[in-house]
Amino acid sequence: MLETFHPTTWTPEISQPETIPTEAKRTESLIPKAYAFIVNARVLVQNKEYNLALNLLRQASNLQTHALILKEMVQVLIFKKAWDEAYKLIQKWYILYPGFEASYFKAQVEYELSFDDYSLQSYFECLSHVDSEKIELFDIFKNIGNIYVRKR
């Protein structure tokens, strides 16, 4: 199951049968207590308890720096529309774990903050990591077009 990012429609990852191998691969380097914080934070996010979820994710990040913890924190901040805080955290995530996901989230938040030049650069960086068809490609190309229209 592919995740898509959109501030109003994102839903947290829930381990469905087809995502269990992916989830196991992504969490194998997490210490058990940090993973427990993530799982509980996801339950809180489903119930729109974003501040409590952030508290748990911050506790997890105090235990260990991991891409999944940073991603979950960014997604909760996006739900809260805390764009500036999300942007600061995404920059850390991107530096520590560059790749498609980090550059995609970075581009999306830059787009929301109207940082058009940075957003374009991040979208193109994101496209350089694409090796197969991804559901996010529609949003990427749509937003690139919107940026060019805004810059006219």
Side-chain angles (χ1 to χ4, degrees):
M1 176 187 296
L2 294 174
E3 286 184 67
T4 61
F5 166 83
H6 193 278
T8 58
T9 61
W10 173 82
T11 55
E13 280 181 20
I14 303 298
S15 292
Q16 301 295 328
E18 65 269 15
T19 64
I20 289 172
T22 304
E23 184 72 9
K25 182 180 170 200
R26 293 173 75 182
T27 61
E28 64 189 15
S29 62
L30 274 170
I31 59 176
K33 191 171 184 179
Y35 183 68
F37 283 136
I38 291 171
V39 170
N40 289 321
R42 287 175 178 171
V43 171
L44 290 169
V45 167
Q46 285 181 324
N47 291 295
K48 296 181 176 32
E49 295 289 347
Y50 304 126
N51 290 328
L52 295 174
L54 265 179
N55 287 339
L56 289 180
L57 292 169
R58 284 186 178 117
Q59 288 179 21
S61 72
N62 288 337
L63 294 173
Q64 178 181 16
T65 301
H66 192 278
L68 186 59
I69 296 169
L70 294 172
K71 176 186 174 185
E72 297 283 334
M73 289 177 75
V74 165
Q75 289 176 323
V76 172
L77 290 168
I78 289 169
F79 264 140
K80 291 180 61 171
K81 297 192 184 326
W83 300 110
D84 292 328
E85 192 176 351
Y87 187 60
K88 289 176 190 173
L89 195 59
I90 285 173
Q91 289 176 324
K92 179 180 178 182
W93 176 21
Y94 181 77
I95 289 167
L96 294 173
Y97 305 99
F100 177 80
E101 234 176 7
S103 57
Y104 179 68
F105 276 89
K106 184 174 177 275
Q108 291 291 88
V109 171
E110 289 167 343
Y111 179 80
E112 289 294 328
L113 291 169
S114 296
F115 297 164
D116 290 342
D117 292 331
Y118 292 118
S119 183
L120 267 179
Q121 183 179 352
S122 295
Y123 279 127
F124 288 127
E125 170 71 21
C126 182
L127 289 171
S128 73
H129 293 287
V130 174
D131 55 1
S132 62
E133 187 68 26
K134 295 188 181 292
I135 196 164
E136 295 91 354
L137 288 175
F138 175 79
D139 282 335
I140 292 170
F141 287 116
K142 175 185 65 95
N143 290 345
I144 288 172
N146 288 341
I147 291 168
Y148 281 120
V149 168
R150 277 199 303 215
K151 290 177 85 171
R152 284 166 97 220

